[in-house]
């Protein structure tokens, strides 16, 4: 246990990483509060679930439209400067929403426009943040760094949705919006204070985006490891979709536990994810394929048994195991991409990965709901659990991964 905390303490003693981590924590919490506030405002204005759905879609559309190209654009500019500008503009948009809301001038169309622009800036922000981490921590600290950011992001996002609802009930939506504006301005300040950040993209020709776009895909085409990584990522997203979509129906119809039971299941899943991240972040991974195979296989088995369970306590146990296994597999996978991809290609690869996964998500969510209607909730969970088992074969069978040691 002491070794685990020493590893995290060492990473957090890194001035640059600590600034990025605090910035992510702040914007994650602020973003959750903001999203809850705008969702409530739209419902208060329209009383329409359709309008609430459009709000969520407007946030995701930029990823689908721009995601494949964003990496090419990012690779031409200094990541530190880009993140500062992105956070500053986002803060300006939030302050605009806050001012209009304060004077009772905020409309649904303005909210849609602002959240769409927010989505565009987030499309720039995410791959740039992912790409800057390998520049600010040592290679042998990537697992700990990624575990720290992912675990923290889940904590603040989960907490933010709960706190956001309480704040709206207590003091109104205005405070939520104000907190998000402050978090973005503070993030821009912290990122601007990063020291000795190298700019591997300086001097790169900015004239021919099309050629660079093709170059990025040519790189992926000649790198079977990354193609397999993308395939695994898509399989995992599709397989895990029932847990996201069918949770309320599973708890109500299968467990008969009501909303309290749903809270216990979601909380147990979060605990598992956090425990897995805490564990894997303390380890040096030498045999990548073994840890990935263990994580994916365990995740699939846990989901199958979760679907078969009729006991709230057994379900909590299996969803904790599922969360632990998910972190144990996902964090080394993420670190492998950061280590393998050249720095000039890294933003593009992350943007392509994010776009492909985002394209699959709506289809997987919709398919889970439809499938559950036709064959049942249990069966849908079990089918979803089979996909991580297939992903395990993609980990075990190819020879390239068995030779990929992270040293």
């Amino acid at each position: 246990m002491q070794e685990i905390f020493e590893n995290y303490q060492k990473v957090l003693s890194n001035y640059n990483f600590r600034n990025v981590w605090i910035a992510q924590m702040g914007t994650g919490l602020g973003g959750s509060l903001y999203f809850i506030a705008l969702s409530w405002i739209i419902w208060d204005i329209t009383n329409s679930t359709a309008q609430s759905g459009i709000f969520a879609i407007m946030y995701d559309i930029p990823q689908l439209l721009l995601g494949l190209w964003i990496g090419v654009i990012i690779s031409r500019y200094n990541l530190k400067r880009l993140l500062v500008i992105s956070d500053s503009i986002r803060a300006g948009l939030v302050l605009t929403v806050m001012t209009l809301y304060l004077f009772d001038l905020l409309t649904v169309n303005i909210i849609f426009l602002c959240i769409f622009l927010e989505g565009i800036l987030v499309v720039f922000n995410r791959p740039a943040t992912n790409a800057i981490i390998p520049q600010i921590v040592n290679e042998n600290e990537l697992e700990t760094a990624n575990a720290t950011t992912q675990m923290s992001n889940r904590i603040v996002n989960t907490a933010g949705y709960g706190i956001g609802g309480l704040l709206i009930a207590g003091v109104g939506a205005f405070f939520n919006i104000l907190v998000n504006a402050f978090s973005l301005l503070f993030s821009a300040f912290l990122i601007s204070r990063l020291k000795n950040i190298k700019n591997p993209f300086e001097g790169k020709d900015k004239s021919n985006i099309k050629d660079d776009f093709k170059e990025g895909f040519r790189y992926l085409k000649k790198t079977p490891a990354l193609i397999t990584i993308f395939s695994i990522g898509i399989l995992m997203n599709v397989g895990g979709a029932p847990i996201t979509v069918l949770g309320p129906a599973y708890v109500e119809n299968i467990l008969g536990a009501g909303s309290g039971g749903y809270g216990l299941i979601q909380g147990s899943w979060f605990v598992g994810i956090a425990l897995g991240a805490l564990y894997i972040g303390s380890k040096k991974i030498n045999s990548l394929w073994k840890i990935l195979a263990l994580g994916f296989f365990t995740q699939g088995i846990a989901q199958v048994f979760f679907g078969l369970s009729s006991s709230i306590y057994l379900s909590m146990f299996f969803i904790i195991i599922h969360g632990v296994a998910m972190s144990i597999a996902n964090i080394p996978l993420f670190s492998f991409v950061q280590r393998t991809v050249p720095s000039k290609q890294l933003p593009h690869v992350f943007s392509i990965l994010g776009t492909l996964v985002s394209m699959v998500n709506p289809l997987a969510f919709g398919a889970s709901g439809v499938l559950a209607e036709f064959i049942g909730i249990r069966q849908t969970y079990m089918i979803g659990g089979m996909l991580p088992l297939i992903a395990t074969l993609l980990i075990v069978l190819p020879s390239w991964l068995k030779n990929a040691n992270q040293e």
Side-chain angles (χ1 to χ4, degrees):
M1 183 62 70
Q2 183 178 355
E3 180 185 355
I4 292 177
F5 286 109
E6 286 177 353
N7 287 338
Y8 282 100
Q9 186 178 13
K10 182 179 179 182
V11 168
L12 290 173
S13 68
N14 179 322
Y15 174 84
N16 284 337
F17 178 77
R18 187 169 64 248
N19 275 21
V20 172
W21 175 65
I22 294 173
Q24 281 193 310
M25 289 271 284
T27 55
L29 178 61
S32 297
L33 297 179
Y34 185 59
F35 195 87
I36 286 291
L38 293 188
S39 298
W40 181 87
I41 292 170
I42 288 175
W43 174 255
D44 188 52
I45 294 173
T46 67
N47 283 326
S48 168
T49 54
Q51 295 288 342
S52 299
I54 293 172
F55 169 70
I57 291 171
M58 292 298 290
Y59 183 76
D60 288 331
I61 283 176
Q63 179 69 56
L64 300 179
L65 296 178
L66 303 174
L68 293 176
W69 293 91
I70 286 298
V72 178
I73 298 172
I74 288 173
S75 66
R76 289 164 149 69
Y77 298 96
N78 181 281
L79 295 178
K80 171 182 168 181
R81 188 179 301 119
L82 189 148
L83 288 171
V84 171
I85 293 172
S86 171
D87 282 343
S88 299
I89 296 175
R90 290 169 68 191
L93 286 171
V94 175
L95 288 171
T96 300
V97 169
M98 185 177 69
T99 303
L100 293 173
Y101 180 69
L102 184 63
F103 290 99
D104 200 25
L105 297 173
L106 191 62
T107 66
V108 171
N109 287 336
I110 291 175
I111 293 175
F112 286 166
L113 175 61
C114 288
I115 205 66
F116 177 76
L117 295 174
E118 165 85 3
I120 292 175
L121 292 165
V122 169
V123 172
F124 279 89
N125 192 280
R126 284 174 180 166
T129 301
N130 291 333
I132 205 172
I133 288 178
Q135 292 189 42
I136 60 178
V137 301
N138 295 328
E139 184 175 325
N140 61 1
E141 296 173 343
L142 277 174
E143 269 78 27
T144 305
N146 287 325
T148 302
T149 56
Q150 291 188 32
M151 182 170 55
S152 301
N153 286 341
R154 288 188 180 277
I155 291 173
V156 297
N157 286 337
T158 302
Y161 288 123
I163 294 171
L166 294 175
L167 287 174
I168 290 172
V171 297
F174 178 82
F175 186 76
N176 287 27
I177 302 172
L178 177 64
V179 170
N180 190 38
F182 175 79
S183 73
L184 288 165
L185 290 173
F186 187 55
S187 173
F189 170 75
L190 288 175
I191 299 299
S192 72
R193 305 295 293 175
L194 298 182
K195 300 176 180 179
N196 302 319
I197 299 297
K198 297 178 181 179
N199 181 14
F201 320 113
E202 188 173 358
K204 189 177 178 69
D205 180 21
K206 298 180 173 63
S207 60
N208 199 338
I209 290 179
K210 184 177 179 180
D211 284 350
D212 269 8
F213 182 73
K214 292 179 179 178
E215 180 185 343
F217 278 97
R218 282 196 294 267
Y219 174 81
L220 289 174
K221 185 177 180 180
K222 67 181 183 181
T223 313
L226 289 177
I227 294 173
T228 304
I229 293 292
F230 283 105
S231 302
I232 292 170
I234 291 172
L235 274 177
M236 299 315 300
N237 264 38
V238 174
I243 292 180
T244 302
V245 174
L246 303 179
Y250 169 82
V251 171
E252 185 73 25
N253 297 339
I254 303 297
L255 301 181
S259 59
Y262 181 60
L264 288 173
I265 292 296
Q266 290 296 106
S268 298
W269 195 30
F270 161 72
V271 167
I273 291 169
L275 289 175
L278 186 65
Y279 170 77
I280 200 65
S282 69
K283 299 298 180 181
K284 181 180 179 181
I285 310 300
N286 292 321
S287 297
L288 179 64
W289 74 276
K290 291 182 181 179
I291 197 70
L292 293 181
L294 174 65
F296 288 128
F297 180 79
T298 305
Q299 187 175 337
I301 294 297
Q303 183 167 327
V304 170
F305 280 100
F306 178 77
L308 289 172
S309 171
S310 297
S311 162
I312 183 68
Y313 300 108
L314 279 177
S315 296
M316 289 170 61
F317 172 76
F318 287 124
I319 203 66
I320 287 174
I321 299 300
H322 183 280
V324 169
M326 190 166 71
S327 288
I328 286 177
N330 286 353
I331 290 171
L333 201 64
F334 196 83
S335 302
F336 174 76
V337 175
Q338 290 175 322
R339 283 192 177 93
T340 304
V341 180
S343 58
K344 291 185 178 181
Q345 296 286 356
L346 196 55
H348 193 192
V349 168
F350 272 124
S351 65
I352 293 173
L353 174 60
T355 300
L356 293 178
V357 172
S358 295
M359 290 171 66
V360 170
N361 276 346
L363 296 175
F365 292 157
S368 295
V370 172
L371 197 60
E373 288 286 336
F374 280 95
I375 68 172
I377 296 171
R378 290 186 186 278
Q379 291 80 358
T380 304
Y381 273 114
M382 294 172 68
I383 290 175
M386 296 297 175
L387 295 183
L389 301 181
I390 295 174
T392 304
L393 295 179
L394 293 176
I395 294 295
V396 172
L397 295 180
S399 59
W400 61 267
L401 196 52
K402 294 181 180 179
N403 299 320
N405 291 329
Q406 300 191 17
E407 297 178 345

